[in-house]
């Protein structure tokens, strides 16, 4: 399944949107939006990680260094699965597996070693000590976002959509959001509930 021209971003956090690049977590077989390094680059542009210029540069990188791009892509998909297992456990208030946390910390140690502080227009800002053609410009911001979410005191806001299995951060005022999106899974579920009631089932 190829990446849609306009994918949904219902996770509420960058790291959860990355996890949600599987079409439906309950469907078998799974339909993955990310089949190639180019899919990941396109998704990163839609997610706002990359600028149009960044996107153009990384597309060239994939063409010129296809073996390196494939190796990076395999690691990126492995990272996505680590994130899914971590946040899926948290969404169900289950204990996180030590192996998953160790794997995540490996990604943290590699990415955070490339963090730097820049001064622009009289302000200090965070950046990455990476070349523009480095594909890690995609994944390192996701690692940073996941790191911040794991250290937050808002784990109770991390939920799993009962319809599609997507993970989302419930930022609603009352903290009672049920679906990844009311326009998609929510409306379909309510339509099904109405149908069952009308049939007396």
């Amino acid at each position: 399944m190829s990446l849609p021209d306009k994918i949904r971003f219902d996770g509420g956090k960058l790291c959860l949107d990355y996890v949600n690049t599987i079409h439906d977590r309950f469907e078998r077989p799974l339909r993955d939006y990310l089949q190639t390094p180019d899919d990941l680059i396109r998704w990163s542009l839609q997610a706002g990680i990359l600028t149009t210029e960044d996107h153009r540069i990384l597309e060239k990188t994939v063409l010129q260094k296809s073996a390196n791009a494939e190796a990076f892509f395999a690691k990126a998909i492995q990272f996505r699965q680590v994130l899914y297992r971590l946040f899926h456990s948290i969404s169900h208030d289950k204990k996180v597996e030590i192996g998953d946390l160790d794997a995540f910390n490996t990604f943290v140690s590699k990415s955070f070693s490339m963090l730097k502080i820049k001064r622009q227009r009289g302000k200090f800002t965070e950046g990455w000590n990476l070349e523009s053609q480095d594909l890690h410009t995609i994944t390192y911001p996701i690692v940073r976002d996941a790191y911040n979410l794991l250290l937050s005191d808002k784990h109770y806001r991390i939920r799993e959509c009962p319809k599609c299995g997507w993970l989302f951060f419930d930022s609603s005022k009352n903290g009672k959001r049920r679906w990844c999106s009311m326009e998609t899974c929510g409306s379909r579920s309510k339509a099904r509930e109405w149908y069952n009631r009308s049939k007396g089932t």
Side-chain angles (χ1 to χ4, degrees):
M1 184 175 194
S2 60
L3 182 72
D5 290 333
K6 190 169 184 178
I7 193 172
R8 288 164 41 213
F9 289 91
D10 295 326
K13 297 290 182 182
L14 176 63
C15 58
L16 299 182
D17 283 327
Y18 184 50
V19 167
N20 293 341
T21 49
I22 298 288
H23 175 69
D24 186 325
R25 285 282 175 178
F26 297 144
E27 187 180 55
R28 293 295 182 272
L30 292 174
R31 291 188 289 169
D32 197 334
Y33 289 135
L34 305 182
Q35 299 288 332
T36 66
D38 283 320
D39 287 337
L40 179 55
I41 293 170
R42 284 177 54 218
W43 175 85
S44 301
L45 177 64
Q46 293 185 41
I49 299 173
L50 302 179
T51 65
T52 303
E53 178 63 15
D54 295 331
H55 177 263
R56 184 186 64 78
I57 291 170
L58 291 185
E59 279 190 321
K60 282 188 175 181
T61 299
V62 170
L63 287 173
Q64 295 169 356
K65 301 179 179 179
S66 59
N68 289 344
E70 289 294 340
F72 164 80
F73 180 68
K75 280 285 186 183
I77 296 302
Q78 178 189 352
F79 171 55
R80 183 183 62 178
Q81 281 305 101
V82 169
L83 289 184
Y84 174 70
R85 291 193 296 268
L86 283 172
F87 289 116
H88 181 265
S89 294
I90 290 171
S91 72
H92 289 275
D93 200 25
K94 293 181 178 178
K95 184 179 179 181
V96 166
E97 294 293 332
I98 294 298
D100 290 330
L101 192 57
D102 287 344
F104 178 73
N105 280 325
T106 299
F107 288 107
V108 168
S109 63
K110 289 180 179 178
S111 60
F112 277 39
S113 66
M114 304 305 291
L115 269 176
K116 66 177 182 180
I117 298 296
K118 302 181 293 183
R119 184 173 174 83
Q120 292 181 328
R121 299 177 182 176
K123 294 183 179 181
F124 292 105
T125 60
E126 182 182 276
W128 299 96
N129 192 28
L130 297 169
E131 299 294 333
S132 58
Q133 67 270 24
D134 193 326
L135 288 163
H136 289 97
T137 55
I138 294 172
T139 51
Y140 284 179
I142 302 172
V143 176
R144 184 83 164 97
D145 187 67
Y147 175 88
N148 288 335
L149 183 54
L150 285 170
L151 288 183
S152 75
D153 60 353
K154 303 292 185 182
H155 289 178
Y156 64 94
R157 294 261 182 184
I158 300 171
R159 307 271 172 79
E160 179 186 62
C161 178
K163 186 72 175 176
C164 70
W166 275 20
L167 301 178
F168 63 90
F169 185 83
D170 181 5
S171 58
S172 64
K173 190 173 182 179
N174 61 11
K176 293 183 178 180
R177 180 176 155 195
R178 293 178 61 194
W179 318 103
C180 61
S181 170
M182 191 61 224
E183 289 73 27
T184 53
C185 289
S187 61
R188 286 198 296 267
S189 293
K190 285 185 176 296
R192 172 59 62 181
E193 290 170 4
W194 178 87
Y195 176 82
N196 288 338
R197 285 197 303 270
S198 69
K199 295 296 182 180
T201 60

